[in-house]
Amino acid sequence: MNPSWRKPAGALLIVGLITVWAILIASLGNIVIGWPALVQAIFYLIAGTVWILPLGPLLKWMETGRWR
């Protein structure tokens, strides 16, 4: 059984995705700071979970080589 290159590549993509997402959300900090605390909490709660959505297809690709 040959090791797959998809797992290390997928792991790097996941780290890259998290990094880009964190930078994007942090760059919005100056805008979000002026919002009411409850709205900020909701924004960060949603932003903190949305990055998970592309992981499903990515993990499937890592295992099977197919996106769907």
Side-chain angles (χ1 to χ4, degrees), residues 5-22 51-52 54-63 67:
W5 60 272
R6 288 187 311 267
K7 288 187 181 182
L12 288 174
L13 283 172
I14 290 171
V15 170
L17 171 72
I18 293 170
T19 302
V20 168
W21 188 252
W51 66 271
I52 296 172
L55 288 185
L58 181 58
L59 291 171
K60 185 166 185 149
W61 172 78
M62 287 170 62
E63 287 295 322
W67 288 102

Side-chain angles (χ1 to χ4, degrees), residues 39-56:
V39 177
Q40 287 182 38
I42 293 169
F43 170 77
Y44 285 119
L45 179 67
I46 292 170
T49 55
V50 166
W51 66 271
I52 296 172
L53 295 176
L55 288 185

